Amino acid sequence: MIPRDQIEKELNLGMKNGELEKRLKAFVKSDIIEQGTSDFRYQAVSDNIFEKVFRGVYQEEIDGFDPKEIRNEYQQLYRKLQGEFNKYKGEFSEYLIINCLRHRAFKQNDFYVALINNLPDDFQFVDYESIWSYSASPVHKKDIQVDIFAKAGGDDYSLIGEVKNRKAKFSVKEAKIFLAKALKVQQLENVSKALFFVFSAGGFFQNTIQFLKENKIAWSDDKTFLEV
């Protein structure tokens, strides 16, 4: 037997004794619980009458229920939510690196240069004229999108970059796709001097690194770039 005040406390019901008593008596009349020797103590019924009542109403639906169906629905929902999460995570990572380039990199050039591999000897970060996530739609051609385009003035290097904040390593296939896009952006924007770079929080495959070296693409997996 459980005292009424314990029921109220354990379930954190936040209702007056009169209202709680009224509801408990309704459960008693429905044969869901039993009343003790006083109005202050209750217990669950000793038989499975509630299960019998429930099955009497919903037995057909219970028998026809396929666990695989609900599992598949949840798997689809999970994949959808995971995709949306990865999208927003990627966009936020782009923002963090853009923010770094805009406010810190050129002020702490030596520090940030040391975080990147395969840079030209004469490269240095500068106070860029503009930095944004680039997209374009050339006539009769597929849309072109790169995560970061930092345009520099004079004889300084402009940056064209790819950002991947995930566990998976950056592949050669992805590197080839990025290189093709970066070359097109350089052409469309008439950039005479550009540095292509890839940030991948999950790292790089060895053959990817070899491809990046051969094509003079800089790379980094240092998460310092993602600091706020």
Side-chain angles (χ1 to χ4, degrees), residues 100 104-105 108-116 119 125 224-225:
C100 176
R104 298 193 299 276
Q108 305 173 57
N109 182 73
D110 292 343
F111 174 77
Y112 284 100
V113 162
L115 305 180
I116 304 177
L119 286 174
F125 291 103
T224 303
F225 282 106

Side-chain angles (χ1 to χ4, degrees), residues 52-109:
K52 292 177 181 177
V53 172
F54 185 83
R55 284 187 172 274
V57 177
Y58 297 107
Q59 185 65 49
E60 185 175 341
E61 288 83 353
I62 293 172
D63 292 341
F65 174 72
D66 183 359
K68 291 182 180 179
E69 182 177 343
I70 191 69
R71 183 181 63 193
N72 291 338
E73 289 180 5
Y74 275 110
Q75 286 177 342
Q76 292 175 10
L77 177 60
Y78 173 80
R79 286 193 290 267
K80 178 183 177 183
L81 294 176
Q82 186 69 39
E84 292 178 357
F85 171 76
N86 290 337
K87 175 178 179 292
Y88 291 124
K89 181 181 178 182
E91 290 176 351
F92 185 61
S93 301
E94 293 168 21
Y95 162 78
L96 291 176
I97 293 180
I98 287 174
N99 191 60
C100 176
L101 294 174
R102 182 173 288 144
H103 299 291
R104 298 193 299 276
F106 71 95
K107 296 177 181 178
Q108 305 173 57
N109 182 73

